[in-house]
Amino acid sequence: MDLALVWFLIIAFFWLGYLFLEGFDFGVGMLLPVLGRDEKERRVMVNTIGPVWDGNEVWLIVAVGATFAAFPGWYATLLSSAYLPLLAVLVGLIGRGVAFEYRGKVDSVRWRRNWDRVIVIGSWLPALGVGLLLSWNVLGLPIDAAGNRVGSAFSAFQWETLLGALAIVGFSLVHGAVFVALKTEGDIRSRARRLALRIGPVALLPMLGLLLVVQTRAGSSWTWLVVGLVVIAAILALVFLSAGREGRAFALMAVVIIGSVVALFGALYPDVIPSTVDPAFSLTIESTASSPYTLKVMTWIAGFGAPAVLVYQGWTYWVFRKRIGTGHIPPVRVP
C-alpha cells in the first residue's frame, strides 16, 4: 500500500472522528432550548460537553491540515470552491465557542438567553456547512481540467448536496439526543430519550438518502454491504434506546457514522473530488498527492503524535464519564 493511499485513509478517519465527536456536540447545542426547560437544565446540557467540545473541534483542524499537507491539490480545489459553507462553519464555531465561555459571566437571564441563541445558531450553521462541504467533496464539483471551479459560488448547489447538509444535521440531532440521554439523569434524560425515538426514524432518512445517491452513482458491492450495515445499526440503536440502554444505542450511532464515512469514501476512491463537468477532469489520489518524501515525513510525525493525542482525549472522556443532573449544578457565581 503506497503512502498516498494511506493518507487518503487517514484523512477519512479524521473526518470520521470529527463527525462522530462533533456530531453530538452540535446536537446538544441545537437541542438546548428543546430539552433544557430552565436554566439549571440548560447548564446540565452545556456541562455534558463542556470538558470536551474544544477537543472535538481539533479533528476538523487536523483533517483540513492533513489534506493541505498530503494532498495540496485536493485542499486547494475544495476549499476555494466551497468557501461559502466553510465560512458558515468558521463563523458558527467561533460564535459557539465564545458563547460557551461567556454565558455564565453575568448573572442575567437576558444575558444567558442571548448567548444560548448564539450556541443554537452556532451549532446549526457548522452542521449545515460541514454537510455541504462533505457532500460537495463526495458528489463532485464543477471543476475544469486545471482544477478550477466553473461558474459562480452557487453553481455547486444541487438537491443532492442539500441532502448532504440535511444528513449531517439529522444525524447530529439524533446523536445529540442519545448523548444527552447517556450523560444525564432525571427528567432531562427521559425527555432526551423520547425525543430521539420520536425524531430518529425521520432525521436519519437524509443520511440514508445521501448514501443511496452516492452508491447509485459510484458504489460497488462492498460499499452497498456497508450501507446495509448502517441501516441495521440505526434500527438497533433506536431499539436499544427504547429499552433504556443508552450506552449501546450510542455505540450503534458510532457504527452508523463509521459505516457512512466508509461507504462515502469507498465510493469516492480513487478520486478525491469528482468533476461534474467532465469525469476526465476529476482529481485523483495520485494526481493531487504530495511528494513521497513529504508523505514519509508526515507518516513518521503522525506515528508519534497521533497515539498520544488519542490517549489523552480518551482519558478526558474517561474522567468525565459519569452522568450529571440538576442536583450537581451549583448556584450561579459571577466572577
Side-chain angles (χ1 to χ4, degrees):
M1 183 181 296
D2 66 285
L3 288 179
L5 177 55
V6 169
W7 275 98
F8 176 79
L9 297 175
I10 290 174
I11 289 170
F13 173 73
F14 288 153
W15 275 108
L16 188 160
Y18 178 71
L19 293 173
F20 172 64
L21 296 173
E22 194 76 329
F24 65 74
D25 264 8
F26 290 153
V28 172
M30 289 188 282
L31 294 173
L32 188 64
V34 178
L35 295 176
R37 295 185 175 178
D38 56 36
E39 172 56 20
K40 273 198 170 184
E41 290 187 346
R42 287 189 286 273
R43 287 178 66 190
V44 167
M45 292 184 65
V46 171
N47 286 351
T48 61
I49 59 174
V52 297
W53 66 267
D54 48 355
N56 294 344
E57 291 179 359
V58 171
W59 287 78
L60 177 62
I61 298 172
V62 174
V64 175
T67 305
F68 168 76
F71 300 97
W74 182 3
Y75 172 91
T77 298
L78 178 62
L79 269 66
S80 63
S81 301
Y83 57 82
L84 287 180
L86 183 63
L87 179 63
V89 172
L90 293 177
V91 169
L93 292 180
I94 292 171
R96 186 167 169 266
V98 172
F100 282 140
E101 297 297 329
Y102 275 79
R103 76 178 302 276
K105 297 296 184 182
V106 176
D107 187 11
S108 163
V109 173
R110 182 179 180 182
W111 172 270
R112 288 191 293 269
R113 284 181 178 174
N114 286 335
W115 285 116
D116 286 345
R117 292 188 184 99
V118 176
I119 292 174
V120 174
I121 296 171
S123 298
W124 278 91
L125 272 181
L128 288 167
V130 167
L132 281 173
L133 192 69
L134 185 63
S135 59
W136 281 0
N137 195 143
V138 175
L139 292 169
L141 288 167
I143 54 177
D144 59 21
N148 298 318
R149 187 192 66 219
V150 177
S152 71
F154 300 95
S155 57
F157 283 93
Q158 304 291 335
W159 70 267
E160 302 98 323
T161 55
L162 296 178
L163 184 65
L166 293 176
I168 299 302
V169 167
F171 171 79
S172 298
L173 285 170
V174 180
H175 197 32
V178 173
F179 180 77
V180 172
L182 175 67
K183 288 288 294 177
T184 59
E185 57 187 30
D187 291 341
I188 190 170
R189 175 189 177 188
S190 300
R191 287 200 300 272
R193 185 169 63 243
R194 288 197 301 269
L195 179 65
L197 290 171
R198 187 164 63 248
I199 68 173
V202 176
L204 293 177
L205 282 179
M207 180 67 78
L208 176 60
L210 176 64
L211 293 174
L212 292 177
V213 169
V214 172
Q215 299 309 310
T216 301
R217 294 183 178 183
S220 58
S221 56
W222 75 267
T223 54
W224 276 106
L225 178 61
V226 174
V227 172
L229 294 176
V230 169
V231 174
I232 294 172
I235 294 172
L236 289 176
L238 297 179
V239 170
F240 279 112
L241 188 62
S242 65
R245 307 297 294 270
E246 293 97 344
R248 294 189 179 184
F250 186 74
L252 285 164
M253 290 301 294
V255 175
V256 169
I257 197 61
I258 290 172
S260 299
V261 172
V262 169
L264 292 174
F265 277 82
L268 178 63
Y269 176 83
D271 293 337
V272 292
I273 301 179
S275 172
T276 57
V277 175
D278 187 333
F281 299 158
S282 298
L283 302 183
T284 66
I285 294 175
E286 183 179 358
S287 67
T288 59
S290 293
S291 68
Y293 177 77
T294 299
L295 296 177
K296 184 177 181 180
V297 172
M298 289 177 61
T299 303
W300 277 105
I301 295 173
F304 285 102
V309 173
L310 290 173
V311 169
Y312 173 76
Q313 193 162 26
W315 175 79
T316 302
Y317 277 94
W318 175 256
V319 170
F320 296 100
R321 68 188 181 278
K322 293 185 178 181
R323 295 180 183 270
I324 61 174
T326 54
H328 299 99
I329 302 299
V332 176
R333 293 180 180 178
V334 181

